[in-house]
Amino acid sequence: MENDLITYSQVFKDMENDYFNGVHRNTTRKRSRDISSDQNSFKRCFLDIFDKVKDWDSYVTWEGIKEALYSPLQDGSSPVGHKDFKNRYYRLRQVAERAGCKKALEKLEKIDPTQTVFAESQSIDLDTLLSLLDKERNTDYRSVTDNNARDGWCWVSAMCTLYGLRPSEVAAGQNLTKAITVDGITFPAVSDPNNLELVLVIGEFTYFGGSTKTGWRLAIPMSKDKTLINRLGIHNVCLPITESKDPSKFNDNHRKWLSRHNWGLTQAYAFRHLGNQLGEMNGIPQEIRARSFGHSVTVNDSKYKKRRNLATELGILTRHQRQPLPLDMAKQTLLNHGINPESPEMKAGLRLIYQLDD
């Protein structure tokens, strides 16, 4: 007789090897044990679930799978209905499949892992953000460290809003303080006050070695309004520096700073979603916004519209009630108000507004 029973340790080791022998699902970059982001992702998606199994040297059984699946959350509550439960379910199902544990698979087949408990999605409108930035920047914390932290995290929040970025992507900006040339095209520094296009080059890795979620890409501002850009302080580049090799540390520091300073939110994605609405308000097509944000149109159309801020939503709707007039209609409207559209001043103005040839 041949013993074909497999221990949890054997299955976990095989799954770990398969993960690190694979590629990043968004960028197709080869994963590596030497890259902190890959290590962190493995821990979050696999190891934290494996650790729910108490005895790794025992054989895979339904009883062990069940205990790990229904293990209480940190607050002692039941995981059923939570995102954690859904993640555990599919990962432990892989374990049962690899071990050939038919009883566990039969039991899992009868369990519904659908997520029914969701965290409240936070949002913020532009006026509130600008007020918070003004308040912080007019506050002297009498400590160089605190003032530097204030300047840094205010600037990161502003960048996340204007470009619709994840915080870690700000830390991967390649042309923040100096111009760079890629394939013969030069991208001026964001810090350059004469840089009007403000195209941001996002690298595949942050300055502290973490990989970005969607890899290398270009991002554009969701508004070209100079007054807004100056109020956000975009040209005043102030990137917070963290020495941690843990990719999540940068985001955690941002979140903790927001909490300590009572901004009323701790979810950095609130700024990213505000950026999406800002782009919509300024008439940037959804396809362009999605490309700049590094995700699909489907994601932009589904997940991002679920977190719409009511004040910003109202602004979008009311703004689109007053669309620019076509050129001929604009000229006629000027005539109706006693203004000659053929005067040198008006011709120059119309040429600029409608981007006409000389």
Side-chain angles (χ1 to χ4, degrees):
M1 294 180 65
E2 181 180 352
N3 182 4
D4 60 355
L5 297 178
I6 301 176
T7 64
Y8 290 103
S9 181
Q10 290 173 288
V11 175
F12 294 165
K13 189 62 178 177
D14 287 343
M15 292 176 72
E16 179 181 355
N17 289 336
D18 286 349
Y19 177 85
F20 283 106
N21 287 331
V23 297
H24 191 288
R25 67 176 184 177
N26 293 319
T27 67
T28 69
R29 169 185 58 78
K30 177 72 172 64
R31 293 196 186 105
S32 170
R33 298 176 191 273
D34 297 326
I35 296 177
S36 55
S37 293
D38 291 344
Q39 295 174 355
N40 196 57
S41 294
F42 176 75
K43 180 181 183 302
R44 184 180 65 254
C45 300
F46 290 84
L47 192 56
D48 287 349
I49 297 173
F50 294 167
D51 283 340
K52 303 296 180 186
V53 176
K54 294 181 179 179
D55 185 3
W56 286 25
D57 291 327
S58 63
Y59 296 125
V60 177
T61 63
W62 161 239
E63 288 71 21
I65 294 286
K66 179 181 178 182
E67 184 178 24
L69 180 62
Y70 290 99
S71 176
L73 299 175
Q74 288 185 344
D75 61 3
S77 62
S78 170
V80 177
H82 288 263
K83 184 179 180 181
D84 276 356
F85 185 79
K86 181 178 72 172
N87 292 340
R88 290 182 196 179
Y89 175 87
Y90 287 109
R91 199 64 69 202
L92 291 170
R93 182 166 181 159
Q94 286 181 296
V95 172
E97 288 172 347
R98 284 174 177 259
C101 185
K102 294 181 179 179
K103 182 177 180 181
L105 290 172
E106 290 172 357
K107 295 286 187 178
L108 288 169
E109 190 68 33
K110 299 176 182 179
I111 297 174
D112 182 3
T114 304
Q115 182 179 356
T116 57
V117 181
F118 297 88
E120 181 182 356
S121 295
Q122 298 173 343
S123 67
I124 188 171
D125 63 87
L126 186 59
D127 288 340
T128 300
L129 172 62
L130 293 174
S131 296
L132 288 167
L133 290 174
D134 290 342
K135 177 184 177 182
E136 288 293 342
R137 288 166 175 165
N138 289 323
T139 300
D140 185 2
Y141 291 103
R142 298 187 179 183
S143 162
V144 174
T145 301
D146 289 342
N147 284 334
N148 288 342
R150 172 204 63 197
D151 294 341
W153 296 122
C154 280
W155 180 76
V156 167
S157 301
M159 287 288 289
C160 288
T161 298
L162 186 68
Y163 289 93
L165 301 176
R166 305 171 181 91
S168 58
E169 291 172 340
V170 180
Q174 297 186 331
N175 61 324
L176 296 178
T177 58
K178 61 181 181 181
I180 67 167
T181 300
V182 182
D183 293 339
I185 300 175
T186 298
F187 298 91
V190 171
S191 60
D192 183 353
N194 297 315
N195 182 358
L196 303 180
E197 294 300 322
L198 284 173
V199 177
L200 178 67
V201 181
I202 301 173
E204 187 171 358
F205 294 93
T206 63
Y207 69 81
F208 47 82
S211 65
T212 51
K213 186 173 182 179
T214 55
W216 190 97
R217 75 173 193 274
L218 301 178
I220 61 171
M222 295 295 104
S223 173
K224 301 291 284 292
D225 184 342
K226 285 194 67 174
T227 301
L228 174 60
I229 290 171
N230 290 334
R231 281 205 61 188
L232 290 172
I234 297 301
H235 291 298
N236 302 323
V237 175
C238 186
L239 181 63
I241 300 301
T242 175
E243 296 180 357
S244 172
K245 297 301 181 183
D246 182 352
S248 64
K249 190 65 175 178
F250 188 87
N251 296 347
D252 286 342
N253 288 342
H254 184 208
R255 182 165 47 250
K256 290 175 181 176
W257 186 90
L258 293 172
S259 178
R260 284 197 304 269
H261 291 258
N262 300 314
W263 273 40
L265 75 163
T266 55
Q267 297 174 3
Y269 262 56
F271 303 117
R272 183 165 160 87
H273 286 258
L274 172 58
N276 187 48
Q277 287 190 296
L278 188 63
E280 185 177 359
M281 183 180 290
N282 287 292
I284 299 177
Q286 184 166 230
E287 292 78 5
I288 301 301
R289 280 181 277 134
R291 182 180 298 181
S292 182
F293 284 21
H295 60 216
S296 66
V297 173
T298 302
V299 170
N300 196 291
D301 192 49
S302 57
K303 292 186 178 180
Y304 278 59
K305 287 187 177 180
K306 291 180 181 179
R307 198 192 288 242
R308 304 178 81 95
N309 179 272
L310 184 58
T312 311
E313 178 77 3
L314 179 61
I316 292 172
L317 294 174
T318 54
R319 172 171 290 197
H320 282 285
Q321 290 176 336
R322 298 187 292 274
Q323 291 293 319
L325 297 173
L327 177 59
D328 291 338
M329 189 179 295
K331 289 181 178 180
Q332 186 59 51
T333 302
L334 291 172
L335 287 172
N336 294 343
H337 287 79
I339 302 173
N340 180 12
E342 298 301 323
S343 66
E345 293 82 2
M346 288 308 305
K347 288 181 71 174
L350 291 171
R351 186 167 60 249
L352 291 172
I353 294 171
Y354 289 92
Q355 302 182 39
L356 305 174
D357 296 331
D358 291 341

